[in-house]
Amino acid sequence: AEGFARTGDRGAEHLARVQQALVRVWAGEPPDDGAAARAAGAWGRDAGSLSVTLGIGRMAARAGAYWLRRRGDYMRALACHRLAECLFEALGAVAPRARSLVDQADVYDAVGERAAALGLYERALEVHAEARRAGHVYQDAERLSVDEVVTLH
């Protein structure tokens, strides 16, 4: 990451920093506080590339799906989905952030923690409701509806 920073390639720097956080998850280290993901999201929102930043967040989300579905490792899955949420929140990407909340809820649901899952499903719906009240415009394909949350489970 430092090498990319020295060359001024901020996109590659943020990608490398989030990858480092994902490697720490893989190594079983304590979950990252999300600083690298938030920094990447802020870069994408302010001066960087929206598409690159969305891709970085999607990578973290896919890593979470891998840990949950392929390895059955709930803690690692949750850590990855939280990184994705941090990035999407800093980016201001409403639908991907809501999706990451649903992904976290799925992890809790998988281990039988229904109350925690329900709280996260509700937060996902609130994220969209707040965005609508604030006049945030997004594509129909990005909308997260109550029906979608219900049919996911």
Side-chain angles (χ1 to χ4, degrees):
E2 290 77 21
F4 291 121
R6 281 192 299 277
T7 65
D9 188 342
R10 298 295 174 232
E13 175 189 359
H14 289 295
L15 172 61
R17 291 192 191 286
V18 173
Q19 285 176 325
Q20 287 171 336
L22 292 171
V23 166
R24 286 191 294 276
V25 170
W26 177 83
E29 295 179 14
D32 189 283
D33 67 357
R38 279 191 290 281
W43 169 79
R45 181 193 65 233
D46 297 335
S49 168
L50 175 65
S51 61
V52 167
T53 308
L54 284 169
I56 295 169
R58 187 77 180 119
M59 175 185 66
R62 291 302 304 149
Y66 166 81
W67 283 113
L68 179 62
R69 294 186 184 119
R70 301 277 182 168
R71 307 287 277 197
D73 192 318
Y74 307 109
M75 296 306 291
R76 286 184 171 113
L78 197 56
C80 293
H81 290 308
R82 285 180 177 157
L83 283 172
E85 180 195 0
C86 288
L87 184 145
F88 292 137
E89 182 177 21
L91 182 60
V94 174
R97 178 178 175 219
R99 179 72 241 179
S100 68
L101 290 166
V102 169
D103 290 339
Q104 290 174 61
D106 289 346
V107 173
Y108 282 110
D109 188 50
V111 296
E113 293 289 337
R114 303 289 190 266
L118 182 58
L120 285 162
Y121 292 136
E122 289 173 351
R123 275 185 53 207
L125 292 170
E126 288 168 8
V127 164
H128 276 283
E130 289 171 15
R132 281 192 297 274
R133 283 192 297 274
H136 180 77
V137 178
Y138 47 89
Q139 299 292 326
D140 286 346
E142 290 183 325
R143 288 199 177 124
L144 180 69
S145 68
V146 173
D147 291 337
E148 182 182 355
V149 170
V150 170
T151 58
L152 290 171
H153 309 288

